[in-house]
Amino acid sequence: MPISVTQAIKIFSDARPPGIYKPEYTDALYAFYHEKKLEMIVCPSTPEWKRTPELVDLNGEAVPDDDDDDGIPGHPLHENHEIDTIMTNDDVLGDEIPNDQQDALRQFCFQSLRLSVGAKGHMQFPGSHPVSLNRANLQLLRQRYYYATWKADGTRYMMLITMDGCYLIDRTFHFRRVQMGFPCRVTNDGLAEKTHHFTLLDGEMIIDTLPDSKKQERRYLIYDLMAVNGVSVIERPFYERWKMLEKEVIEPRNQERFQSRNPHYRYDMEPFRVRRKDFWLLSTVTRLLNEFIPKLSHDADGLIFQGWDDPYVPRTHEGLLKWKYAYLNSVDFLFEIDDDCQLLILYDRGKKKLMEGYKVAFEEGSDPLHFSGRIIECAWDSDRREWVFKRVRTDKSTPNDFNTYKKVIQSIRDNITEDLLLNEINEIIRLPMYADRIKTDSKAHQHTHLARRR
């Protein structure tokens, strides 16, 4: 229920006097739900029925009391004292959930994205995927209205928010529960007292390294919204979904956090921070590349071009474009060793496809056998004419599809450099279609900015 721990303890106490009498239990509940424990919360004394003579078994031997504290999450004997460890994109976040619950949540995702639930498709991650920019699809920037954002080098997650908790959905379509607060926006009927229930988001987890302290912070950058409280919005244009994301998800959370509307909940105990990812007019791409990306506190490897009027398209979205710095164009292979021979494998219509004649260059001293059976990301070295190992993709269970591979290869061959891209964009933004709409959008942004300042 969307109530505080204090309220829940009171309800339990009224229904089953004297309530929870062990402070370790209440401390664990407050810690798990990120809430402050009020000074007035005092555990009752041990009830009389608990002060029973020592139990004995049928043979007259003493029986240990099973009602001990050793297995309580948060109990001093089992407290998880965090050591200052280096955060990586491969870290596993959240807690596992039962399979039947995961199956039910998967079905909701498929229904929201208008996908049929099939035996094979059930396990496939349904999130939208961009395609590599090449000379053919570069023309889309002239034909449709696009905004741009940076391509963060993080971990892709969808997020499903329910009143029972938030669930991070990784690229293997597995769910893990994290404790996060997402209140609904304030309305006349008191909806602010409730939390989001079946709201589906898309985004990426990045690790910010603060420039002064060098302290690391996780942040979830949300860039799309597919369902709000059980209602699918995938057919709405992106610019509407982006505005809804701010109004329905980000603003209520910030209002509760910074205006003390829920003084008991501790946002600082959450496993990561949350914000909406920014998108900008194409006319800002030069500044985005030259000024914004170099100052980021996390890694970025290129740009994403999002159709401003596009619906949300599950799986491969031919109109969602990604441009990466040439030396960072990469493919995810399944790597195997067979009789000392390297095998690079992709998927083609769900079946393994061996890429004959290819090898991978690993770092000096690395044993290729260590990577056998794993998904590895490789970049193409055009001078050496070979694939170069970049990292293990622990977030993926399958390699790239052969069609994806062909698009990456085409992008590498076309070699759309930064200068070529910027020259193309400078021509595009002078087109009447873009010039007129940029004026309209710029005025809208200025009006919104002034309204916020007031």
Side-chain angles (χ1 to χ4, degrees):
M1 297 176 66
I3 58 176
S4 69
V5 171
T6 303
Q7 290 172 293
I9 289 174
K10 175 67 166 58
I11 293 171
F12 180 78
S13 177
D14 291 343
R16 184 173 158 177
I20 299 174
Y21 58 88
K22 292 193 176 184
E24 292 85 358
Y25 280 73
T26 55
D27 290 347
L29 284 168
Y30 279 101
F32 182 83
Y33 287 103
H34 306 331
E35 292 189 21
K36 296 176 184 177
K37 184 177 181 180
L38 303 179
E39 293 182 5
M40 68 172 70
I41 301 299
V42 178
C43 288
S45 58
T46 305
E48 192 62 37
W49 53 262
K50 180 62 181 171
R51 301 192 191 103
T52 55
E54 187 176 52
L55 298 173
V56 295
D57 64 15
L58 293 176
N59 297 320
E61 299 291 333
V63 178
D65 183 1
D66 289 333
D67 190 14
D68 57 45
D69 297 329
D70 291 347
I72 307 172
H75 184 270
L77 292 178
H78 289 264
E79 195 168 350
N80 182 21
H81 294 285
E82 277 197 30
I83 304 171
D84 286 336
T85 55
I86 297 176
M87 296 179 182
T88 73
N89 288 329
D90 296 334
D91 295 337
V92 178
L93 306 177
D95 302 315
E96 290 188 40
I97 64 172
N99 287 336
D100 56 347
Q101 182 187 13
Q102 179 170 265
D103 288 342
L105 297 180
R106 282 174 173 169
Q107 287 186 22
F108 171 75
C109 292
F110 272 73
Q111 290 165 5
S112 297
L113 300 176
R114 307 286 191 260
L115 292 170
S116 58
V117 182
K120 292 183 178 179
H122 199 81
M123 292 296 293
Q124 188 178 350
F125 182 74
S128 187
H129 291 298
V131 298
S132 297
L133 190 67
N134 54 46
R135 291 184 186 271
N137 59 26
L138 183 61
Q139 300 306 310
L140 288 176
L141 295 179
R142 291 177 175 267
Q143 298 164 9
R144 290 149 67 174
Y145 192 59
Y146 277 86
Y147 264 47
T149 189
W150 76 101
K151 186 179 180 300
D153 188 12
T155 306
R156 169 76 178 278
Y157 288 106
M158 289 166 58
M159 179 191 278
L160 179 61
I161 309 169
T162 75
M163 66 171 59
D164 304 313
C166 295
Y167 302 90
L168 289 177
I169 310 167
D170 66 21
R171 295 178 74 133
T172 66
F173 206 27
H174 281 84
F175 291 62
R176 295 182 73 91
R177 186 189 186 282
V178 290
Q179 182 60 33
M180 302 287 290
F182 284 96
C184 290
R185 67 184 176 92
V186 179
T187 61
N188 294 332
D189 57 6
L191 254 180
E193 298 176 3
K194 298 181 181 179
T195 188
H196 275 266
H197 194 45
F198 284 100
T199 292
L200 185 60
L201 312 171
D202 207 348
E204 55 204 351
M205 191 74 68
I206 54 92
I207 299 173
D208 278 328
T209 302
L210 306 184
D212 297 329
S213 64
K214 302 303 178 185
K215 179 184 175 183
Q216 290 182 303
E217 286 186 347
R218 291 191 199 279
R219 191 188 303 270
Y220 185 57
L221 301 176
I222 310 172
Y223 50 68
D224 216 328
L225 172 71
M226 296 88 87
V228 182
N229 291 318
V231 179
S232 176
V233 294
I234 64 168
E235 291 166 2
R236 296 197 183 197
F238 174 76
Y239 70 87
E240 283 190 18
R241 303 196 306 274
W242 194 59
K243 290 177 182 176
M244 288 178 68
L245 173 56
E246 182 72 16
K247 184 177 181 181
E248 301 287 345
V249 179
I250 301 299
E251 283 184 1
R253 179 179 159 88
N254 288 341
Q255 286 170 357
E256 182 178 275
R257 182 180 182 185
F258 298 115
Q259 297 178 15
S260 300
R261 290 186 172 172
N262 183 355
H264 308 303
Y265 187 78
R266 293 186 55 185
Y267 280 93
D268 61 304
M269 292 181 66
E270 292 184 335
F272 49 84
R273 301 177 70 181
V274 172
R275 64 162 291 183
R276 181 181 69 160
K277 195 176 186 186
D278 292 322
F279 287 78
W280 295 278
L281 296 162
L282 284 190
S283 54
T284 65
V285 167
T286 300
R287 288 175 57 195
L288 185 56
L289 284 171
N290 297 335
E291 299 176 27
F292 182 82
I293 289 180
K295 293 178 181 177
L296 281 172
S297 50
H298 58 268
D299 293 332
D301 55 7
L303 299 171
I304 295 288
F305 295 98
Q306 168 72 57
W308 206 231
D309 304 308
D310 283 1
Y312 186 89
V313 179
R315 310 254 167 80
T316 301
H317 181 5
E318 298 290 346
L320 182 60
L321 309 174
K322 65 178 178 181
W323 174 86
K324 297 175 75 169
Y325 297 103
Y327 64 94
L328 292 177
N329 262 314
S330 61
V331 174
D332 299 325
F333 294 103
L334 170 60
F335 179 76
E336 292 182 356
I337 297 285
D338 184 32
D339 292 334
D340 293 331
C341 291
Q342 291 190 7
L343 305 178
L344 292 180
I345 299 166
L346 296 171
Y347 266 22
D348 188 10
R349 298 175 185 174
K351 296 181 180 179
K352 290 183 178 181
K353 179 178 179 64
L354 177 63
M355 304 303 292
E356 296 183 7
Y358 283 158
K359 292 184 66 176
V360 177
F362 292 93
E363 292 180 1
E364 191 174 342
S366 295
D367 182 3
L369 268 174
H370 174 70
F371 303 98
S372 185
R374 309 182 82 174
I375 307 297
I376 61 173
E377 181 179 351
C378 302
W380 178 253
D381 188 320
S382 55
D383 295 330
R384 292 156 55 182
R385 307 293 297 172
E386 63 182 358
W387 292 102
V388 178
F389 170 79
K390 288 186 63 182
R391 59 172 171 159
V392 176
R393 293 300 302 264
T394 57
D395 60 323
K396 299 185 73 173
S397 58
T398 58
N400 279 148
D401 187 79
F402 184 60
N403 284 329
T404 300
Y405 163 82
K406 288 192 293 185
K407 289 167 185 171
V408 173
I409 293 298
Q410 188 61 51
S411 181
I412 292 171
R413 288 173 179 162
D414 287 350
N415 192 26
I416 298 179
T417 63
E418 185 174 329
D419 287 342
L420 191 153
L421 176 66
L422 293 178
N423 287 337
E424 178 73 10
I425 287 176
N426 283 334
E427 289 184 16
I428 290 171
I429 60 177
R430 292 188 178 93
L431 296 174
M433 176 192 77
Y434 260 91
D436 293 343
R437 195 147 175 191
I438 284 174
K439 286 181 183 178
T440 304
D441 279 6
S442 297
K443 289 178 181 177
H445 281 299
Q446 288 174 5
H447 177 74
T448 302
H449 181 65
L450 288 172
R452 283 179 178 172
R453 290 181 63 182
R454 287 170 187 157

